[in-house]
């Protein structure tokens, strides 16, 4: 009896030792055991049965057919009732009693554990010894017992823990992927935000440009009004000119008919021709055409007499040295660019085309498209003198070397000289076919040079009041002209993209400089005269070596055009 009671205890110890060896590694085996249930191995021999010896069971046929002639009403009713009963039984749901889970025995638990762990030799030894003990009667199956619930529960918990770890691993992978997607989305958001800011900046820039264009177009309204007035005046002048032309044509026709009659009368009545005394001619009535011709002859006679009394000026041969060679020194100190706006002078109603400073006084002259030039005192900006006389916009003005005279060029094809002490026009040069863009004084003060839209430049003699020379050579508008300091050399800049150097005495082009890709708007010398600066319509400024006649440097300050270029007093 004592031996029988000790057997389950020894089995439990064996179970605990087996679990203690590798309880963690047994998690997967326990999962399979719990799923499939306990089992044990048993050898069974299966013999093949012959098909000829097999006895088939007869299956009764429920659909018993009643032969004709033997039909019985009672039997038919009984068969129908039986079929209805069978149908009801089939329709009823049979509820099977729930099967209570049977705990796994120790023998099956150990075998399943060894199989799960792959310990085949240990399994064979265990089975041989186990069945040997059972056959000897040392161990009885009914006294072995079942595996305690604690071990089964531990295995289930291990399996659940393993599954939870797998799920945790999957969740971590999903979280990492979601983090990467989040970072990618944030980068895309930042990119789109930056793109949106750039679009907003461009939009604001376009709005500002539109506002500037509106203001720019608004500034054109006075110019358009002036051009409209010019157009109306030209139309009226055209009509008057056409009327005068028709009147002149009629008068010419009448004169031709009178001449014919006079020739006929001379042939047949030559004796009747007599000379009319001067007194009768003066008393005879004259028409408007004869009157105009007589006045024009008198004016021409007066001008001829005046010009006959004046001689042409001579170009100086012994030129004095350039005083700027000794006055201009190199700037040793750093350049100052901290210029600040000091004052604004509202002088013209239309755009200002030119500003020049007096060579010795604190005054300046401004020219505008309103046909006026104004002498302004500094620093207050009070207008000292206003010049009227041009019939179109003014393009350029230039002081006489002495500072007491002024030369102006205009779109009315004329160059006018002004006496600044009186403020009146003392001389007008006419000869260009189109607008005059620029003018300049010779250092001796006896000559004025001008450049025009008609592709020519002219040198005017102030004393003889006539054009001394016309410079031909440019193929497009000549936009600027300037005398070399204390010299007879002229510099011109043209819309044909070239600079030209001329001898004012002979009117010959001595040298041409090429390098600009667009129309040249202005060109000038340094005060010392060793360098030339030029600017074009695309904003490119070039410096040239006057001695070598070669370019030094090119500076692009575009895309706006460069209208004028100049050097400071230091060069």
């Amino acid at each position: 009896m004592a031996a029988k009671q000790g057997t389950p205890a020894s089995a439990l110890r064996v179970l605990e030792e087996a679990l203690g060896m590798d309880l963690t590694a047994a998690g997967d085996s326990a999962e399979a055991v719990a799923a499939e249930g306990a089992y044990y191995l048993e050898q069974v021999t299966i013999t093949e049965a012959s098909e000829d010896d097999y006895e088939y069971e007869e299956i009764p046929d429920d659909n018993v057919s009643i032969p004709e002639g033997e039909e019985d009403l009672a039997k038919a009713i009984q068969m129908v009732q039986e079929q209805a009963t069978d149908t009801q039984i089939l329709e009823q749901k049979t509820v099977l009693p729930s099967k209570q889970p049977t705990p796994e025995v120790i023998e099956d638990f150990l075998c399943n554990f060894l199989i799960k762990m792959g310990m085949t030799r240990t399994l064979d030894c265990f089975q041989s010894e186990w069945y040997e003990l059972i056959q000897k009667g040392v161990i009885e199956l009914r006294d072995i017992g079942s595996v305690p619930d604690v071990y089964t529960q531990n295995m289930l918990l291990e399996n659940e823990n393993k599954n939870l770890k797998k799920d945790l691993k999957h969740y971590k992978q999903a979280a990492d992927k979601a983090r990467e997607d989040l970072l990618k989305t944030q980068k895309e958001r930042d990119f789109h935000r930056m793109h949106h800011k750039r679009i907003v900046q461009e939009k604001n820039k376009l709005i500002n440009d539109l506002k500037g264009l509106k203001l720019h177009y608004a500034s054109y309204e006075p110019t358009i009004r002036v051009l409209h007035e010019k157009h109306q005046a030209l139309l009226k002048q055209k009509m008057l000119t056409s009327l005068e032309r028709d009147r002149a044509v009629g008068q010419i026709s009448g004169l031709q008919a009178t001449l014919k009659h006079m020739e006929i009368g001379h042939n047949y009545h030559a004796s009747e021709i007599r000379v009319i005394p001067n007194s009768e001619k003066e008393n005879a009535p004259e028409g408007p055409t004869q009157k105009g011709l007589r006045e024009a002859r008198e004016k021409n006679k007066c001008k001829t007499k005046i010009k006959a009394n004046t001689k042409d000026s001579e170009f100086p041969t012994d030129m004095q040295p350039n005083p700027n060679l000794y006055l201009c020194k190199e700037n040793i100190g750093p350049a100052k660019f901290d210029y600040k706006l000091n004052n604004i002078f509202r002088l013209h109603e239309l755009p200002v085309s030119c500003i020049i400073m007096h060579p010795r006084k604190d005054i300046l002259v401004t020219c505008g498209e309103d046909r006026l030039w104004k002498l302004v005192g500094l620093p207050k900006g009070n207008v000292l003198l206003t010049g009227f006389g041009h019939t179109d916009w003014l393009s350029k003005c230039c002081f006489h070397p002495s500072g007491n005279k002024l030369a102006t060029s205009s779109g009315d094809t004329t160059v006018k000289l002004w006496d600044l002490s009186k403020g009146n026009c003392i001389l007008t040069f006419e000869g260009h076919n189109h607008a005059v863009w620029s003018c300049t004084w010779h250092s001796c003060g006896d000559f004025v040079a001008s450049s025009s839209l008609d592709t020519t430049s002219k040198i005017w003699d102030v004393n003889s009041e006539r054009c001394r020379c016309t410079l031909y050579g440019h193929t497009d508008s000549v936009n600027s002209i300037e005398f070399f300091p204390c010299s007879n050399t002229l510099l011109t800049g043209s819309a044909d993209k070239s600079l030209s150097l001329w001898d004012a005495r002979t009117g010959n082009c001595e040298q041409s400089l090429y390098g600009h890709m667009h129309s040249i708007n202005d060109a000038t010398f340094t005060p010392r005269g060793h360098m030339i600066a030029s600017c074009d319509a695309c904003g490119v400024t070039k410096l040239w070596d006057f001695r070598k006649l070669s370019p030094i440097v090119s500076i692009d300050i575009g895309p706006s055009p460069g209208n004028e270029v100049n050097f400071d007093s230091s060069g």
Side-chain angles (χ1 to χ4, degrees):
M1 188 68 182
K4 290 182 179 180
Q5 292 177 354
T7 302
S10 62
L12 288 175
R13 282 196 300 272
V14 173
L15 176 61
E16 290 177 355
E17 291 175 0
L19 291 174
M21 282 194 323
D22 194 358
L23 186 60
T24 306
D28 296 336
S29 301
E31 179 183 1
V33 171
E36 296 179 2
Y39 67 93
Y40 63 91
L41 299 177
E42 181 178 357
Q43 186 174 3
V44 178
T45 303
I46 301 174
T47 59
E48 294 184 357
S50 176
E51 294 182 357
D52 298 335
D53 297 338
Y54 187 78
E55 295 181 358
Y56 295 95
E57 182 180 358
E58 294 183 359
I59 299 175
D61 190 3
D62 294 336
N63 299 326
V64 179
S65 61
I66 301 173
E68 295 183 359
E70 296 182 2
E71 295 179 355
D72 190 359
L73 181 60
K75 289 182 179 180
I77 293 171
Q78 184 179 0
M79 289 176 62
V80 170
Q81 290 178 353
E82 288 178 358
Q83 290 179 358
T85 304
D86 294 338
T87 305
Q88 290 178 0
I89 291 171
L90 291 174
E91 288 179 355
Q92 290 179 358
K93 296 181 180 179
T94 57
V95 179
L96 297 176
S98 60
K99 185 178 179 181
Q100 295 294 332
T102 304
E104 189 176 16
V105 295
I106 294 174
E107 176 194 358
D108 295 339
F109 178 81
L110 291 175
C111 290
N112 292 334
F113 175 77
L114 294 174
I115 291 171
K116 191 173 182 180
M117 297 302 297
M119 302 167 68
T120 55
R121 290 185 295 175
T122 307
L123 177 64
D124 295 338
C125 295
F126 172 74
Q127 287 181 346
S128 61
E129 291 179 2
W130 180 263
Y131 290 116
E132 184 179 357
L133 291 174
I134 291 175
Q135 289 178 359
K136 289 181 179 180
V138 179
I139 299 175
E140 293 184 1
L141 294 176
R142 63 176 179 274
D143 297 333
I144 292 175
S146 302
V147 178
D149 294 338
V150 176
Y151 298 106
T152 306
Q153 190 69 21
N154 285 338
M155 294 179 69
L156 293 175
L157 290 175
E158 287 291 335
N159 292 331
E160 187 176 359
N161 188 15
K162 186 175 182 180
N163 294 331
L164 290 175
K165 286 182 178 179
K166 290 181 179 179
D167 294 340
L168 179 62
K169 184 177 180 181
H170 293 317
Y171 291 150
K172 284 184 178 180
Q173 293 176 355
D176 294 337
K177 186 177 180 181
R179 188 181 295 107
E180 293 177 358
D181 295 339
L182 177 62
L183 293 175
K184 184 178 179 181
T185 306
Q186 288 177 349
K187 290 180 180 178
E188 292 179 354
R189 179 201 63 189
D190 296 337
F191 172 76
H192 289 298
R193 184 178 294 171
M194 181 177 64
H195 184 66
H196 175 70
K197 290 181 179 179
R198 183 172 61 83
I199 295 297
V200 170
Q201 291 177 356
E202 292 179 356
K203 175 186 173 184
N204 295 332
K205 183 180 178 182
L206 289 175
I207 291 173
N208 293 331
D209 292 342
L210 287 175
K211 290 180 180 178
L213 288 175
K214 287 181 180 179
L215 295 174
H216 188 61
Y217 290 149
S219 66
Y220 281 143
E221 291 182 359
T223 308
I224 293 172
R225 186 170 61 253
V226 172
L227 291 176
H228 183 68
E229 293 175 359
K230 289 181 182 179
H231 178 66
Q232 296 295 332
L234 289 174
L235 288 178
K236 292 179 182 178
Q237 188 176 358
K238 180 181 176 182
M239 292 176 63
L240 293 174
T241 305
S242 62
L243 292 174
E244 291 180 359
R245 183 195 62 189
D246 296 339
R247 187 181 302 166
V249 168
Q251 291 176 357
I252 290 171
S253 300
L255 290 173
Q256 289 177 351
T258 305
L259 287 173
K260 287 181 181 180
H261 289 300
M262 289 175 67
E263 288 177 358
I264 295 170
H266 181 269
N267 292 333
Y268 294 98
H269 306 284
S271 59
E272 294 182 2
I273 296 175
R274 62 190 181 88
V275 179
I276 300 175
N278 291 333
S279 60
E280 292 183 8
K281 285 184 180 180
E282 291 176 359
N283 296 330
E286 58 180 358
T289 305
Q290 289 81 1
K291 185 177 180 181
L293 291 173
R294 180 174 56 79
E295 292 176 354
R297 286 195 204 98
E298 292 177 356
K299 288 182 179 179
N300 288 332
K301 287 180 181 178
C302 294
K303 288 185 178 180
T304 305
K305 290 179 181 179
I306 294 171
K307 291 182 179 178
N309 295 330
T310 57
K311 296 181 180 180
D312 290 336
S313 303
E314 295 292 336
F315 282 98
T317 56
D318 299 330
M319 298 294 293
Q320 296 180 356
N322 186 3
N324 294 321
L325 291 174
Y326 307 102
L327 293 177
C328 297
K329 296 181 180 179
E330 292 185 0
N331 235 346
I332 301 176
K336 293 183 179 180
F337 297 105
D338 53 344
Y339 298 105
K340 295 181 180 179
L341 179 64
N342 188 20
N343 206 341
I344 297 177
F345 303 140
R346 304 289 182 181
L347 301 174
H348 297 271
E349 295 181 358
L350 293 179
V352 179
S353 56
C354 177
I355 298 176
I356 58 168
M357 293 293 298
H358 193 278
R360 284 176 291 277
K361 298 180 181 179
D362 290 336
I363 56 177
L364 58 85
V365 173
T366 63
C367 298
E369 294 185 8
D370 55 1
R371 312 173 190 175
L372 304 176
W373 61 266
K374 295 187 178 183
L375 188 69
V376 182
L378 296 177
K380 295 182 179 180
N382 50 328
V383 178
L384 304 177
L385 201 60
T386 301
F388 302 89
H390 283 289
T391 59
D392 210 334
W393 44 268
L394 274 69
S395 58
K396 194 70 180 277
C397 58
C398 183
F399 276 111
H400 189 273
S402 63
N404 56 5
K405 293 179 183 178
L406 183 73
T408 58
S409 57
S410 170
D412 59 6
T413 72
T414 64
V415 177
K416 290 183 179 292
L417 304 183
W418 308 80
D419 186 356
L420 296 181
S421 61
K422 299 178 181 179
N424 57 347
C425 177
I426 57 176
L427 192 58
T428 300
F429 294 120
E430 299 177 354
H432 285 290
N433 297 326
H434 292 286
V436 183
W437 288 121
S438 180
C439 61
T440 180
W441 284 92
H442 192 278
S443 56
C444 67
D446 294 332
F447 300 96
V448 175
S450 61
S451 61
S452 172
L453 181 63
D454 60 6
T455 72
T456 65
S457 301
K458 292 182 181 292
I459 301 174
W460 309 89
D461 192 333
V462 178
N463 294 323
S464 62
E465 302 178 6
R466 72 182 187 91
C467 177
R468 288 288 298 272
C469 185
T470 301
L471 309 180
Y472 298 96
H474 286 293
T475 59
D476 207 337
S477 171
V478 185
N479 297 329
S480 72
I481 188 168
E482 184 171 339
F483 272 107
F484 184 80
C486 302
S487 170
N488 296 322
T489 301
L490 266 173
L491 171 66
T492 57
S494 172
D496 62 6
K497 309 170 189 176
S498 68
L499 297 170
S500 294
L501 295 169
W502 308 78
D503 188 345
R505 296 168 294 185
T506 60
N508 295 329
C509 179
E510 302 295 337
Q511 186 71 34
S512 294
L513 304 177
Y514 300 95
H516 281 282
M517 304 299 293
H518 301 86
S519 170
I520 298 176
N521 290 340
D522 191 30
T524 185
F525 292 100
T526 57
R528 296 172 59 187
H530 67 290
M531 198 182 300
I532 300 173
S534 59
C535 61
D536 63 19
C538 199
V540 176
T541 300
K542 286 183 177 290
L543 297 179
W544 310 78
D545 190 337
F546 181 58
R547 297 183 181 89
K548 298 180 181 180
L549 297 177
S550 60
I552 300 174
V553 69
S554 179
I555 307 167
D556 188 356
I557 54 174
S560 300
N563 295 328
E564 190 168 352
V565 63
N566 212 335
F567 288 94
D568 68 351
S569 58
S570 66

